[in-house]
Amino acid sequence: MAYTNVWLELCGGICVDRIQIEGNVPLCGKIKVQGAKNGALPIMAAAVLHRGMTVIKNCPRILDVEYMSEILRELGCLVWREDSALFINAENVDGGIVRSEYATKLRASVILTGSLLGRCGRAVLPYPGGCTIGMRPIDLHLKALTQMGAEVISAEDGLMLRTQKMRGSTIEFPFPSVGATENAILGAVLAEGITVLQGCAVEPEIEELCRFLCEKGACISGIGSTQLVISGVKKLKDSVHRLMSDRIVAGTYLLAAAGTRGSISLYDVCWEHLRYLLRTLSDAGAQISAEGSEIHMDAKQAVYPVKCLVTRPYPGFPTDLQSQMMVFLSRARGISRIEENMFESRFQIVEELKRMGADIEIEGNCAVIRGVSNLKGNFVRARELRGGAALVSAALMAEGRTILSGTEYIRRGYEDIVRDYTQLGADIKETG
Ligand code: EPZ
Protein backbone atom coordinates (compact mmCIF):
# COMPACT_ATOMS: atom_id res chain seq x y z
CA MET A 1 0.00 0.00 0.00
CA ALA A 2 1.49 3.35 -1.05
CA TYR A 3 2.06 5.87 1.75
CA THR A 4 2.82 9.54 1.11
CA ASN A 5 6.36 10.52 2.08
CA VAL A 6 4.91 13.11 4.45
CA TRP A 7 3.10 10.43 6.36
CA LEU A 8 5.98 8.02 6.52
CA GLU A 9 8.11 10.90 7.79
CA LEU A 10 5.48 11.94 10.36
CA CYS A 11 5.15 8.36 11.57
CA GLY A 12 8.90 7.80 11.80
CA GLY A 13 8.96 5.75 8.62
CA ILE A 14 6.74 2.92 9.88
CA CYS A 15 3.37 1.93 8.49
CA VAL A 16 0.61 2.58 11.02
CA ASP A 17 -3.15 2.19 10.91
CA ARG A 18 -4.70 5.37 9.63
CA ILE A 19 -8.06 6.64 8.42
CA GLN A 20 -8.37 9.23 5.62
CA ILE A 21 -11.52 11.38 5.46
CA GLU A 22 -12.68 14.01 2.93
CA GLY A 23 -15.03 15.97 5.18
CA ASN A 24 -17.90 18.45 4.94
CA VAL A 25 -20.34 15.84 3.57
CA PRO A 26 -23.71 15.64 5.42
CA LEU A 27 -24.21 12.11 6.77
CA CYS A 28 -27.43 10.58 5.49
CA GLY A 29 -28.94 7.11 5.69
CA LYS A 30 -29.94 4.35 8.08
CA ILE A 31 -27.75 2.11 10.19
CA LYS A 32 -27.99 -0.65 12.79
CA VAL A 33 -26.17 0.00 16.05
CA GLN A 34 -23.84 -2.73 17.39
CA GLY A 35 -24.26 -4.52 20.73
CA ALA A 36 -23.08 -2.71 23.88
CA LYS A 37 -19.37 -2.93 24.75
CA ASN A 38 -19.99 -1.98 28.38
CA GLY A 39 -22.78 -4.54 28.52
CA ALA A 40 -20.77 -7.37 27.01
CA LEU A 41 -17.67 -7.05 29.22
CA PRO A 42 -19.28 -7.44 32.67
CA ILE A 43 -21.49 -10.23 31.30
CA MET A 44 -18.39 -12.05 30.04
CA ALA A 45 -16.87 -11.68 33.51
CA ALA A 46 -20.14 -12.97 35.03
CA ALA A 47 -20.05 -16.07 32.82
CA VAL A 48 -17.09 -17.27 34.94
CA LEU A 49 -19.48 -17.71 37.89
CA HIS A 50 -21.21 -20.59 36.09
CA ARG A 51 -19.70 -24.06 35.60
CA GLY A 52 -21.31 -24.40 32.18
CA MET A 53 -22.48 -22.60 29.05
CA THR A 54 -23.27 -18.95 28.38
CA VAL A 55 -24.25 -17.61 24.93
CA ILE A 56 -24.15 -13.85 24.32
CA LYS A 57 -26.01 -12.80 21.17
CA ASN A 58 -25.50 -9.46 19.38
CA CYS A 59 -21.98 -9.42 20.86
CA PRO A 60 -19.88 -6.67 19.19
CA ARG A 61 -16.73 -7.63 17.27
CA ILE A 62 -14.43 -5.18 19.07
CA LEU A 63 -10.93 -5.42 20.52
CA ASP A 64 -12.08 -5.22 24.14
CA VAL A 65 -14.24 -8.32 23.63
CA GLU A 66 -11.26 -10.07 21.99
CA TYR A 67 -9.03 -9.09 24.91
CA MET A 68 -11.57 -10.31 27.47
CA SER A 69 -12.01 -13.56 25.49
CA GLU A 70 -8.25 -14.18 25.70
CA ILE A 71 -8.33 -13.62 29.45
CA LEU A 72 -11.22 -16.10 29.84
CA ARG A 73 -9.33 -18.66 27.75
CA GLU A 74 -6.33 -18.29 30.06
CA LEU A 75 -8.64 -19.01 32.99
CA GLY A 76 -9.65 -22.28 31.33
CA CYS A 77 -12.81 -21.24 29.46
CA LEU A 78 -13.59 -22.31 25.93
CA VAL A 79 -14.61 -19.17 24.01
CA TRP A 80 -15.71 -19.07 20.37
CA ARG A 81 -17.90 -17.13 17.98
CA GLU A 82 -20.69 -18.18 15.67
CA ASP A 83 -21.72 -15.10 13.63
CA SER A 84 -22.68 -12.35 16.11
CA ALA A 85 -22.99 -14.77 19.05
CA LEU A 86 -20.18 -15.41 21.55
CA PHE A 87 -20.09 -18.83 23.24
CA ILE A 88 -18.42 -19.30 26.64
CA ASN A 89 -17.97 -22.71 28.30
CA ALA A 90 -16.68 -22.03 31.83
CA GLU A 91 -16.77 -25.68 32.95
CA ASN A 92 -13.06 -25.79 33.73
CA VAL A 93 -12.23 -22.60 35.62
CA ASP A 94 -10.43 -23.30 38.88
CA GLY A 95 -7.19 -21.36 39.31
CA GLY A 96 -8.49 -17.83 39.55
CA ILE A 97 -5.15 -16.56 38.27
CA VAL A 98 -4.86 -14.10 35.36
CA ARG A 99 -1.37 -13.39 34.08
CA SER A 100 -2.39 -12.34 30.59
CA GLU A 101 -1.06 -8.99 29.42
CA TYR A 102 -4.52 -8.54 27.91
CA ALA A 103 -5.76 -7.73 31.43
CA THR A 104 -3.66 -4.55 31.33
CA LYS A 105 -5.28 -3.44 28.08
CA LEU A 106 -8.77 -2.83 29.37
CA ARG A 107 -10.47 -1.50 32.49
CA ALA A 108 -13.13 -4.22 32.60
CA SER A 109 -10.63 -6.97 33.53
CA VAL A 110 -10.92 -5.77 37.14
CA ILE A 111 -14.55 -6.91 37.17
CA LEU A 112 -13.30 -10.51 37.05
CA THR A 113 -12.17 -10.06 40.68
CA GLY A 114 -15.71 -10.49 42.03
CA SER A 115 -16.56 -13.45 39.86
CA LEU A 116 -13.24 -15.27 40.50
CA LEU A 117 -13.66 -14.82 44.26
CA GLY A 118 -17.19 -16.17 43.98
CA ARG A 119 -16.18 -19.10 41.77
CA CYS A 120 -12.66 -20.02 42.95
CA GLY A 121 -12.19 -18.27 46.31
CA ARG A 122 -9.15 -16.56 44.80
CA ALA A 123 -8.44 -13.74 42.32
CA VAL A 124 -4.94 -12.91 41.08
CA LEU A 125 -4.79 -10.33 38.28
CA PRO A 126 -2.66 -7.43 37.02
CA TYR A 127 -3.99 -3.95 37.67
CA PRO A 128 -6.53 -3.06 34.97
CA GLY A 129 -5.68 -0.90 31.96
CA GLY A 130 -8.05 1.05 29.76
CA CYS A 131 -8.26 4.60 28.54
CA THR A 132 -5.89 7.15 30.09
CA ILE A 133 -8.74 9.48 31.01
CA GLY A 134 -7.90 9.76 34.67
CA MET A 135 -6.39 8.01 37.70
CA ARG A 136 -9.22 5.46 37.83
CA PRO A 137 -8.53 3.98 41.30
CA ILE A 138 -10.25 0.76 42.41
CA ASP A 139 -10.59 1.52 46.12
CA LEU A 140 -14.38 1.16 46.03
CA HIS A 141 -14.09 -2.25 44.31
CA LEU A 142 -11.73 -3.54 47.01
CA LYS A 143 -13.73 -2.01 49.87
CA ALA A 144 -16.91 -3.78 48.73
CA LEU A 145 -15.24 -7.16 48.14
CA THR A 146 -13.38 -7.12 51.46
CA GLN A 147 -16.63 -6.26 53.21
CA MET A 148 -17.99 -9.50 51.71
CA GLY A 149 -15.17 -11.55 53.19
CA ALA A 150 -12.35 -11.25 50.68
CA GLU A 151 -8.83 -10.67 52.01
CA VAL A 152 -6.33 -8.55 50.04
CA ILE A 153 -3.09 -10.55 50.14
CA SER A 154 -1.21 -8.08 47.98
CA ALA A 155 -1.96 -5.00 45.95
CA GLU A 156 1.61 -4.03 45.09
CA ASP A 157 2.20 -4.74 41.43
CA GLY A 158 -1.16 -6.40 40.87
CA LEU A 159 -4.17 -7.74 42.77
CA MET A 160 -4.14 -10.89 44.92
CA LEU A 161 -7.28 -11.61 46.95
CA ARG A 162 -8.63 -14.76 48.56
CA THR A 163 -11.63 -15.87 50.61
CA GLN A 164 -12.87 -18.98 52.39
CA LYS A 165 -16.36 -18.05 51.20
CA MET A 166 -17.92 -14.76 50.14
CA ARG A 167 -20.66 -13.78 52.57
CA GLY A 168 -23.57 -11.38 52.38
CA SER A 169 -23.06 -7.87 53.72
CA THR A 170 -24.60 -4.39 53.52
CA ILE A 171 -22.46 -2.08 51.40
CA GLU A 172 -22.98 1.65 50.92
CA PHE A 173 -21.21 3.23 47.92
CA PRO A 174 -20.11 6.86 48.57
CA PHE A 175 -20.88 7.58 44.91
CA PRO A 176 -22.26 5.53 42.01
CA SER A 177 -19.21 3.78 40.53
CA VAL A 178 -20.21 1.58 37.56
CA GLY A 179 -17.34 -0.89 37.92
CA ALA A 180 -17.48 -1.13 41.71
CA THR A 181 -21.25 -1.81 41.54
CA GLU A 182 -20.67 -4.55 38.95
CA ASN A 183 -17.81 -6.12 40.94
CA ALA A 184 -19.89 -6.18 44.13
CA ILE A 185 -22.83 -7.77 42.29
CA LEU A 186 -20.56 -10.54 40.95
CA GLY A 187 -19.03 -11.10 44.39
CA ALA A 188 -22.51 -11.45 45.92
CA VAL A 189 -24.25 -13.82 43.47
CA LEU A 190 -22.79 -17.06 44.95
CA ALA A 191 -22.10 -15.64 48.43
CA GLU A 192 -23.60 -17.07 51.62
CA GLY A 193 -26.54 -14.95 52.74
CA ILE A 194 -27.98 -11.66 51.58
CA THR A 195 -26.04 -8.67 50.24
CA VAL A 196 -27.60 -5.21 50.21
CA LEU A 197 -25.89 -2.72 47.88
CA GLN A 198 -26.86 0.90 48.49
CA GLY A 199 -25.89 3.91 46.35
CA CYS A 200 -25.43 1.74 43.24
CA ALA A 201 -24.79 3.15 39.79
CA VAL A 202 -27.90 2.72 37.60
CA GLU A 203 -26.41 2.71 34.10
CA PRO A 204 -28.44 0.53 31.67
CA GLU A 205 -25.49 -1.86 31.44
CA ILE A 206 -25.84 -2.64 35.16
CA GLU A 207 -29.55 -3.29 34.78
CA GLU A 208 -28.73 -5.61 31.88
CA LEU A 209 -26.07 -7.43 33.96
CA CYS A 210 -28.66 -8.04 36.70
CA ARG A 211 -31.24 -9.30 34.20
CA PHE A 212 -28.60 -11.58 32.65
CA LEU A 213 -27.71 -13.00 36.08
CA CYS A 214 -31.39 -13.60 36.94
CA GLU A 215 -31.76 -15.48 33.61
CA LYS A 216 -28.93 -17.71 34.93
CA GLY A 217 -30.73 -18.32 38.24
CA ALA A 218 -29.32 -15.55 40.43
CA CYS A 219 -31.64 -13.92 42.95
CA ILE A 220 -31.51 -10.11 42.61
CA SER A 221 -34.20 -7.54 43.47
CA GLY A 222 -34.31 -3.76 43.05
CA ILE A 223 -33.00 -4.05 39.48
CA GLY A 224 -32.66 -0.59 37.91
CA SER A 225 -32.64 1.16 41.28
CA THR A 226 -29.81 2.47 43.48
CA GLN A 227 -30.44 -0.33 45.99
CA LEU A 228 -29.88 -3.95 44.99
CA VAL A 229 -30.64 -6.93 47.23
CA ILE A 230 -28.82 -10.13 46.22
CA SER A 231 -29.57 -13.46 47.91
CA GLY A 232 -26.68 -15.84 47.32
CA VAL A 233 -27.47 -19.06 45.42
CA LYS A 234 -25.56 -22.32 45.22
CA LYS A 235 -25.13 -22.42 41.46
CA LEU A 236 -26.26 -20.94 38.16
CA LYS A 237 -27.49 -22.48 34.91
CA ASP A 238 -26.82 -22.41 31.18
CA SER A 239 -28.35 -19.42 29.43
CA VAL A 240 -28.64 -17.47 26.17
CA HIS A 241 -28.75 -13.67 26.35
CA ARG A 242 -29.16 -11.03 23.62
CA LEU A 243 -27.16 -7.88 24.34
CA MET A 244 -28.86 -4.49 24.14
CA SER A 245 -27.47 -1.97 21.66
CA ASP A 246 -24.57 0.32 22.49
CA ARG A 247 -26.00 3.68 23.60
CA ILE A 248 -22.58 5.38 23.34
CA VAL A 249 -22.02 4.20 19.76
CA ALA A 250 -25.56 5.37 18.93
CA GLY A 251 -24.87 8.75 20.53
CA THR A 252 -21.55 9.02 18.70
CA TYR A 253 -23.26 8.52 15.33
CA LEU A 254 -26.04 10.98 16.14
CA LEU A 255 -23.53 13.67 17.16
CA ALA A 256 -21.37 13.03 14.08
CA ALA A 257 -24.42 13.35 11.83
CA ALA A 258 -25.51 16.50 13.65
CA GLY A 259 -22.02 18.01 13.18
CA THR A 260 -22.32 17.47 9.42
CA ARG A 261 -25.90 18.85 9.45
CA GLY A 262 -27.03 15.49 8.10
CA SER A 263 -30.14 13.37 8.48
CA ILE A 264 -29.89 9.77 9.73
CA SER A 265 -31.93 6.94 11.22
CA LEU A 266 -30.63 4.42 13.74
CA TYR A 267 -32.34 1.07 14.30
CA ASP A 268 -32.02 -1.64 16.92
CA VAL A 269 -31.40 1.09 19.51
CA CYS A 270 -32.97 1.85 22.88
CA TRP A 271 -33.84 5.54 22.62
CA GLU A 272 -34.85 5.59 26.31
CA HIS A 273 -31.14 5.21 27.18
CA LEU A 274 -30.37 8.42 25.24
CA ARG A 275 -33.04 10.75 26.61
CA TYR A 276 -30.56 13.40 27.80
CA LEU A 277 -28.67 13.49 24.50
CA LEU A 278 -31.85 13.57 22.40
CA ARG A 279 -33.18 16.47 24.46
CA THR A 280 -29.88 18.32 24.09
CA LEU A 281 -29.77 17.80 20.32
CA SER A 282 -33.39 18.91 20.03
CA ASP A 283 -32.56 22.09 22.00
CA ALA A 284 -29.69 22.65 19.54
CA GLY A 285 -32.21 22.66 16.69
CA ALA A 286 -32.30 19.05 15.47
CA GLN A 287 -35.64 17.47 14.55
CA ILE A 288 -35.80 14.13 16.37
CA SER A 289 -38.39 11.37 16.52
CA ALA A 290 -38.04 8.06 18.32
CA GLU A 291 -40.35 5.09 18.35
CA GLY A 292 -39.85 1.41 19.10
CA SER A 293 -36.21 0.60 18.46
CA GLU A 294 -35.59 3.45 15.98
CA ILE A 295 -34.36 7.03 16.21
CA HIS A 296 -34.75 9.49 13.29
CA MET A 297 -32.89 12.80 13.27
CA ASP A 298 -32.80 15.70 10.79
CA ALA A 299 -29.97 18.01 11.90
CA LYS A 300 -29.99 20.58 9.07
CA GLN A 301 -30.94 23.26 11.63
CA ALA A 302 -28.89 21.92 14.55
CA VAL A 303 -26.88 25.12 14.91
CA TYR A 304 -27.54 26.41 18.45
CA PRO A 305 -24.97 26.28 21.27
CA VAL A 306 -25.53 24.62 24.64
CA LYS A 307 -25.19 27.08 27.51
CA CYS A 308 -23.76 24.59 29.98
CA LEU A 309 -23.59 20.80 29.78
CA VAL A 310 -22.46 18.83 32.84
CA THR A 311 -21.37 15.18 32.71
CA ARG A 312 -22.94 13.07 35.46
CA PRO A 313 -23.67 9.43 36.28
CA TYR A 314 -26.70 8.00 34.47
CA PRO A 315 -29.33 9.30 33.78
CA GLY A 316 -27.23 12.48 33.51
CA PHE A 317 -25.28 13.40 30.38
CA PRO A 318 -22.74 10.58 29.83
CA THR A 319 -19.04 11.36 30.08
CA ASP A 320 -18.50 8.87 27.23
CA LEU A 321 -20.25 11.30 24.84
CA GLN A 322 -18.52 14.43 26.13
CA SER A 323 -15.78 14.58 23.46
CA GLN A 324 -18.27 13.89 20.67
CA MET A 325 -20.51 16.69 21.98
CA MET A 326 -17.54 19.05 22.11
CA VAL A 327 -16.89 18.40 18.41
CA PHE A 328 -20.53 19.03 17.50
CA LEU A 329 -20.54 22.33 19.48
CA SER A 330 -17.26 23.49 17.88
CA ARG A 331 -19.31 24.89 14.96
CA ALA A 332 -22.42 26.01 16.86
CA ARG A 333 -23.56 29.64 16.40
CA GLY A 334 -22.40 30.89 19.81
CA ILE A 335 -20.59 29.93 23.00
CA SER A 336 -21.10 26.58 24.78
CA ARG A 337 -19.69 25.27 28.05
CA ILE A 338 -19.01 21.65 29.00
CA GLU A 339 -18.23 20.66 32.61
CA GLU A 340 -16.52 17.26 32.96
CA ASN A 341 -17.13 15.85 36.43
CA MET A 342 -16.40 12.14 35.96
CA PHE A 343 -12.77 11.93 34.87
CA GLU A 344 -9.90 14.33 35.40
CA SER A 345 -8.29 13.94 31.97
CA ARG A 346 -11.06 13.82 29.42
CA PHE A 347 -10.27 16.94 27.38
CA GLN A 348 -7.37 15.30 25.52
CA ILE A 349 -8.74 16.07 22.07
CA VAL A 350 -8.87 19.85 22.59
CA GLU A 351 -5.34 20.44 21.21
CA GLU A 352 -6.12 18.32 18.13
CA LEU A 353 -9.40 20.19 17.56
CA LYS A 354 -7.59 23.55 17.88
CA ARG A 355 -5.21 22.35 15.15
CA MET A 356 -8.34 21.88 13.02
CA GLY A 357 -9.41 25.46 13.70
CA ALA A 358 -11.65 25.01 16.75
CA ASP A 359 -11.82 27.82 19.34
CA ILE A 360 -11.79 26.05 22.73
CA GLU A 361 -10.38 27.18 26.06
CA ILE A 362 -10.02 24.97 29.14
CA GLU A 363 -10.75 26.47 32.56
CA GLY A 364 -10.22 23.76 35.20
CA ASN A 365 -12.78 21.02 34.50
CA CYS A 366 -14.68 23.27 32.11
CA ALA A 367 -14.29 23.68 28.35
CA VAL A 368 -15.51 26.94 26.78
CA ILE A 369 -16.29 26.37 23.12
CA ARG A 370 -16.75 29.34 20.79
CA GLY A 371 -18.35 28.09 17.61
CA VAL A 372 -16.51 28.67 14.31
CA SER A 373 -18.01 28.41 10.80
CA ASN A 374 -16.37 25.02 10.27
CA LEU A 375 -13.23 23.03 11.04
CA LYS A 376 -10.38 22.41 8.58
CA GLY A 377 -8.92 18.99 7.79
CA ASN A 378 -5.49 18.17 9.27
CA PHE A 379 -3.23 15.36 10.51
CA VAL A 380 -4.56 14.26 13.94
CA ARG A 381 -3.91 11.40 16.35
CA ALA A 382 -6.31 9.45 18.57
CA ARG A 383 -5.04 8.89 22.14
CA GLU A 384 -8.03 7.13 23.69
CA LEU A 385 -11.26 5.45 22.64
CA ARG A 386 -14.01 8.08 22.79
CA GLY A 387 -11.68 10.96 21.94
CA GLY A 388 -10.59 9.02 18.88
CA ALA A 389 -14.18 8.50 17.78
CA ALA A 390 -14.79 12.22 18.33
CA LEU A 391 -11.84 13.12 16.09
CA VAL A 392 -13.43 11.03 13.34
CA SER A 393 -16.58 13.11 13.80
CA ALA A 394 -14.47 16.28 13.53
CA ALA A 395 -12.92 15.03 10.30
CA LEU A 396 -16.35 14.17 8.84
CA MET A 397 -17.47 17.73 9.58
CA ALA A 398 -14.28 19.54 8.51
CA GLU A 399 -13.53 21.11 5.11
CA GLY A 400 -10.82 19.20 3.28
CA ARG A 401 -8.82 16.07 4.08
CA THR A 402 -8.01 14.64 7.49
CA ILE A 403 -5.63 11.79 8.18
CA LEU A 404 -6.22 10.23 11.59
CA SER A 405 -3.75 7.84 13.25
CA GLY A 406 -4.13 5.78 16.42
CA THR A 407 -7.15 3.91 15.08
CA GLU A 408 -6.43 0.91 17.31
CA TYR A 409 -7.96 2.90 20.17
CA ILE A 410 -11.20 3.28 18.20
CA ARG A 411 -11.37 -0.42 17.38
CA ARG A 412 -11.52 -1.14 21.13
CA GLY A 413 -15.15 0.02 21.16
CA TYR A 414 -16.41 0.45 17.58
CA GLU A 415 -16.83 -2.64 15.36
CA ASP A 416 -16.05 -0.84 12.09
CA ILE A 417 -16.40 2.93 12.15
CA VAL A 418 -15.24 3.20 8.51
CA ARG A 419 -17.93 0.70 7.37
CA ASP A 420 -20.64 2.48 9.33
CA TYR A 421 -19.83 6.01 8.19
CA THR A 422 -19.40 4.80 4.59
CA GLN A 423 -22.94 3.41 4.86
CA LEU A 424 -24.03 6.92 5.91
CA GLY A 425 -22.44 8.47 2.80
CA ALA A 426 -19.06 9.60 4.17
CA ASP A 427 -15.89 9.75 2.04
CA ILE A 428 -13.76 7.71 4.49
CA LYS A 429 -11.24 4.89 4.10
CA GLU A 430 -8.45 3.09 5.89
CA THR A 431 -5.03 3.95 4.49
CA GLY A 432 -2.86 1.41 6.26
C1 EPZ B 1 -17.27 2.62 33.31
O1 EPZ B 1 -15.94 2.83 33.77
C2 EPZ B 1 -17.18 2.56 31.79
N1 EPZ B 1 -16.34 1.46 31.39
C3 EPZ B 1 -16.61 3.88 31.26
O2 EPZ B 1 -16.64 3.81 29.83
C4 EPZ B 1 -17.49 5.04 31.72
O3 EPZ B 1 -16.91 6.25 31.31
C5 EPZ B 1 -17.62 5.01 33.25
O4 EPZ B 1 -18.11 3.72 33.68
C6 EPZ B 1 -18.57 6.09 33.76
O5 EPZ B 1 -19.83 5.92 33.18
C7 EPZ B 1 -16.85 0.21 31.35
O6 EPZ B 1 -18.00 -0.02 31.68
C8 EPZ B 1 -15.93 -0.89 30.89
P1 EPZ B 1 -16.64 4.42 37.38
P2 EPZ B 1 -15.59 2.68 35.35
O7 EPZ B 1 -16.15 3.41 38.34
O8 EPZ B 1 -16.35 1.56 35.92
C9 EPZ B 1 -13.91 6.97 40.26
C10 EPZ B 1 -15.75 3.78 27.67
O9 EPZ B 1 -15.33 4.70 26.94
N2 EPZ B 1 -13.68 5.71 40.99
O10 EPZ B 1 -18.11 4.72 37.33
O11 EPZ B 1 -14.13 2.69 35.48
C11 EPZ B 1 -13.24 7.00 38.89
O12 EPZ B 1 -11.90 7.41 38.99
C12 EPZ B 1 -15.38 3.77 29.14
O13 EPZ B 1 -16.48 2.86 27.28
C13 EPZ B 1 -13.01 5.76 42.22
O14 EPZ B 1 -12.61 6.83 42.69
O15 EPZ B 1 -16.18 4.07 35.89
C14 EPZ B 1 -14.09 7.99 38.13
O16 EPZ B 1 -13.65 9.29 38.44
C15 EPZ B 1 -14.47 4.91 29.52
N3 EPZ B 1 -12.80 4.60 42.89
C16 EPZ B 1 -15.48 7.79 38.72
O17 EPZ B 1 -15.30 7.08 39.95
C17 EPZ B 1 -13.23 3.39 42.41
O18 EPZ B 1 -13.02 2.36 43.08
C18 EPZ B 1 -16.43 6.99 37.84
O19 EPZ B 1 -15.79 5.75 37.61
C19 EPZ B 1 -13.90 3.36 41.17
C20 EPZ B 1 -14.12 4.53 40.48
Side-chain angles (χ1 to χ4, degrees):
M1 176 157 311
Y3 292 103
T4 62
N5 293 335
V6 169
W7 262 103
L8 287 175
E9 199 179 17
L10 274 174
C11 304
I14 49 171
C15 297
V16 291
D17 278 353
R18 294 191 301 279
I19 293 177
Q20 174 180 305
I21 296 165
E22 302 295 345
N24 206 17
V25 174
L27 294 182
C28 292
K30 189 172 183 180
I31 194 158
K32 176 189 177 297
V33 175
Q34 71 186 55
K37 167 177 93 76
N38 293 346
L41 298 172
I43 283 175
M44 292 174 75
V48 165
L49 285 166
H50 171 49
R51 193 179 292 278
M53 275 305 296
T54 296
V55 181
I56 306 170
K57 292 188 167 182
N58 196 34
C59 189
R61 293 174 183 278
I62 54 176
L63 285 180
D64 274 14
V65 168
E66 297 310 309
Y67 296 154
M68 187 64 111
S69 299
E70 285 303 315
I71 296 168
L72 295 187
R73 291 185 183 108
E74 186 200 359
L75 285 166
C77 295
L78 299 175
V79 185
W80 69 97
R81 253 192 195 279
E82 289 174 23
D83 300 326
S84 70
L86 190 74
F87 290 71
I88 300 170
N89 180 335
E91 186 77 38
N92 298 316
V93 171
D94 44 26
I97 299 176
V98 174
R99 289 197 183 81
S100 165
E101 45 102 18
Y102 289 108
T104 63
K105 287 178 176 292
L106 73 167
R107 172 75 176 180
S109 55
V110 71
I111 301 170
L112 278 163
T113 313
S115 48
L116 289 173
L117 285 166
R119 168 74 185 264
C120 313
R122 177 171 63 168
V124 179
L125 331 82
Y127 271 113
C131 289
T132 56
I133 53 179
M135 292 299 289
R136 307 188 81 177
I138 57 170
D139 54 315
L140 300 180
H141 297 240
L142 298 179
K143 184 168 179 293
L145 294 171
T146 49
Q147 251 187 268
M148 285 193 256
E151 181 193 354
V152 178
I153 306 301
S154 152
E156 295 307 312
D157 54 0
L159 292 173
M160 189 181 287
L161 292 88
R162 71 179 174 201
T163 181
Q164 287 304 319
K165 178 73 179 166
M166 297 298 275
R167 57 177 188 277
S169 176
T170 295
I171 293 158
E172 167 82 36
F173 291 110
F175 64 85
S177 156
V178 172
T181 301
E182 292 167 342
N183 232 336
I185 291 167
L186 298 185
V189 165
L190 299 178
E192 246 161 28
I194 294 174
T195 299
V196 178
L197 302 178
Q198 297 167 335
C200 296
V202 291
E203 269 69 8
E205 293 78 17
I206 292 175
E207 183 174 338
E208 178 167 45
L209 174 65
C210 292
R211 283 190 284 104
F212 163 79
L213 286 164
C214 289
E215 290 161 5
K216 288 195 92 62
C219 184
I220 304 174
S221 62
I223 295 177
S225 80
T226 58
Q227 173 160 310
L228 295 171
V229 180
I230 303 163
S231 303
V233 294
K234 293 280 182 236
K235 64 176 188 165
L236 300 172
K237 59 188 177 187
D238 292 358
S239 68
V240 178
H241 179 82
R242 186 182 191 279
L243 267 187
M244 68 183 178
S245 73
D246 194 310
R247 62 191 170 99
I248 303 302
V249 170
T252 302
Y253 291 173
L254 286 168
L255 283 162
T260 65
R261 307 293 185 260
S263 176
I264 68 167
S265 294
L266 303 180
Y267 63 94
D268 197 8
V269 290
C270 187
W271 64 268
E272 295 87 343
H273 294 162
L274 288 158
R275 286 179 197 276
Y276 206 112
L277 173 66
L278 298 181
R279 196 168 55 240
T280 307
L281 282 171
S282 173
D283 292 346
Q287 302 296 317
I288 292 178
S289 64
E291 68 270 344
S293 64
E294 297 202 2
I295 296 175
H296 308 283
M297 177 186 73
D298 179 341
K300 293 187 192 65
Q301 303 305 321
V303 299
Y304 302 109
V306 174
K307 199 167 170 50
C308 184
L309 193 71
V310 181
T311 63
R312 289 194 178 90
Y314 192 87
F317 186 80
T319 176
D320 291 351
L321 288 176
Q322 181 260 102
S323 296
Q324 300 91 315
M325 177 59 77
M326 179 184 285
V327 167
F328 164 63
L329 294 173
S330 68
R331 67 178 298 201
R333 287 183 193 156
I335 299 174
S336 307
R337 279 172 67 88
I338 293 178
E339 196 178 303
E340 170 57 60
N341 288 321
M342 301 299 289
F343 291 105
E344 54 273 35
S345 177
R346 211 158 200 183
F347 288 147
Q348 294 182 45
I349 64 165
V350 167
E351 289 315 309
E352 299 291 77
L353 291 180
K354 287 166 87 167
R355 292 177 53 242
M356 296 177 78
D359 180 350
I360 303 171
E361 291 308 320
I362 302 299
E363 299 163 3
N365 69 329
C366 284
V368 179
I369 305 139
R370 290 176 176 76
V372 296
S373 58
N374 201 349
L375 302 180
K376 303 275 184 288
N378 204 330
F379 295 111
V380 291
R381 167 174 288 281
R383 290 177 169 73
E384 38 94 12
L385 166 57
R386 304 302 175 185
L391 287 174
V392 174
S393 305
L396 291 167
M397 193 165 95
E399 290 157 2
R401 173 176 296 183
T402 296
I403 307 273
L404 180 138
S405 57
T407 55
E408 66 278 9
Y409 289 107
I410 302 172
R411 282 202 303 276
R412 286 192 47 211
Y414 295 78
E415 270 191 343
D416 190 336
I417 206 163
V418 171
R419 171 201 69 195
D420 289 350
Y421 283 137
T422 300
Q423 194 173 318
L424 293 173
D427 181 347
I428 180 172
K429 64 182 181 181
E430 288 181 350
T431 62

